[in-house]
Amino acid sequence: MTLEQARVDLKRRRNATKAKTLQRFFKTGPGEYAEGDKFLGVVVPQTRAVAKKFQTLSLRDALILLKSPWHEERLLALFLMVGRYRREPGDRGAVYKAYLGHTGYINNWDLVDSSAEHIVGPYLADRSKAPLKRLARSKSLWERRIAVLATFHYIKQGDFKDALALAAQLLRDEEDLIHKAVGWMLREIGKRDLPVLDAFLRKHCQQMPRTMLRYAIEKHPPARRRAYLSGQIH
């Protein structure tokens, strides 16, 4: 199995009609967050199938794919890196460093969401969380989203402190994609421990961007949602 074979396998699944749809969905137009990104029109399950077939490709090969102008090749690279991280304990440090060394290519929300919680989150689980704080201060929207999504790993383990700390840090972020990501993580905390979420919301809901708050309270009863949105929560 070679890198070139993987590329051929992925590109033979291309679909021009689907590519146009994906370019609109992922905001690739002038001035949009993914301006100029190129799509083959390959759907995620097909990309995952290629990743499974070529899972023995090296980290070096994955990084070549990650630098591709094609969105699906970058997604394939990240699936390969996640797979290597899971299968090869001895390679985890190298995968983590390579991932954070190439964040400029992890440049859309699906790329971040498919990888950050599976590489950055677990690698830092028993280490200093300083890298998350640094990423959350980045000028890069995508690095900030990586920090937020990495905490999903801890949320699933019942550990909410890092997610809550980043949520507080990012309350005044200007990007809607960060509002959505933080709100999503808060909602996930609430699914596991509603009192913890409510305590955070009572303290911060009046300063939270509307989108962040709406995402966070999505699972609350309607009356409770209305109370939060009207600022009448106690």
Side-chain angles (χ1 to χ4, degrees):
M1 296 292 185
T2 67
L3 172 60
E4 187 55 36
Q5 287 173 326
R7 280 181 153 152
V8 169
D9 199 333
L10 187 68
K11 288 180 177 177
R12 72 179 177 82
R13 303 164 193 259
R14 67 194 306 167
N15 181 309
T17 301
K18 185 67 174 176
K20 291 180 180 178
T21 300
L22 290 172
Q23 284 176 289
R24 289 193 298 270
F25 181 73
F26 284 105
K27 308 296 184 184
T28 64
E32 295 183 311
Y33 60 73
E35 180 177 352
D37 203 356
K38 297 168 58 178
F39 284 79
L40 295 167
V42 182
V43 296
V44 172
Q46 292 177 312
T47 306
R48 287 192 183 278
V50 176
K52 184 176 180 180
K53 182 176 178 181
F54 290 89
Q55 62 183 320
T56 58
L57 288 180
S58 67
L59 179 57
R60 178 178 176 275
D61 287 336
L63 292 177
I64 292 172
L65 284 170
L66 190 58
K67 297 173 183 177
S68 170
W70 295 108
H71 186 99
E72 292 91 342
E73 287 196 350
R74 300 199 303 281
L75 183 59
L76 173 59
L78 292 166
F79 286 157
L80 290 169
M81 291 172 75
V82 168
R84 177 165 292 276
Y85 186 94
R86 288 172 170 166
R87 290 191 318 273
E88 305 291 344
D91 288 351
R92 287 175 180 170
V95 172
Y96 167 81
K97 290 175 184 176
Y99 184 90
L100 287 192
H102 293 80
T103 55
Y105 301 98
I106 308 170
N107 56 357
N108 213 314
W109 59 263
D110 64 318
L111 303 178
V112 172
D113 297 2
S114 298
S115 56
E117 70 161 298
H118 305 297
I119 295 175
V120 180
Y123 186 78
L124 296 177
D126 56 356
R127 294 177 171 87
S128 167
K129 302 303 186 296
L132 294 185
K133 297 175 182 177
R134 176 184 61 78
L135 288 167
R137 292 192 301 269
S138 172
K139 293 181 180 180
S140 164
L141 157 64
W142 307 119
E143 289 194 345
R144 299 198 304 277
R145 190 165 173 118
I146 286 170
V148 175
L149 265 293
T151 68
F152 203 178
H153 177 78
Y154 315 132
I155 291 170
K156 290 177 177 179
Q157 308 301 317
D159 181 355
F160 311 134
K161 62 182 183 298
D162 296 300
L164 293 172
L166 288 188
Q169 181 178 337
L170 293 166
L171 281 175
R172 292 176 175 80
D173 197 281
E174 297 180 355
E175 293 287 350
D176 188 61
L177 285 172
I178 298 300
H179 303 168
K180 291 176 179 178
V182 172
W184 172 19
M185 293 301 101
L186 290 173
R187 184 175 71 236
E188 291 296 333
I189 290 172
K191 286 162 63 174
R192 294 160 174 84
D193 194 327
L194 190 57
V196 169
L197 172 58
D198 280 332
F200 182 89
L201 293 177
R202 282 195 298 271
K203 182 176 181 181
H204 296 292
C205 66
Q206 293 186 342
Q207 292 80 43
M208 293 173 70
R210 208 67 167 174
T211 297
M212 188 186 296
L213 179 58
R214 287 186 180 278
Y215 267 62
I217 62 176
E218 194 173 86
K219 299 298 182 180
H220 279 68
R224 191 77 167 167
R225 291 203 302 272
R226 288 194 295 271
Y228 274 118
L229 290 168
S230 65
Q232 296 176 355
I233 202 72
H234 301 291

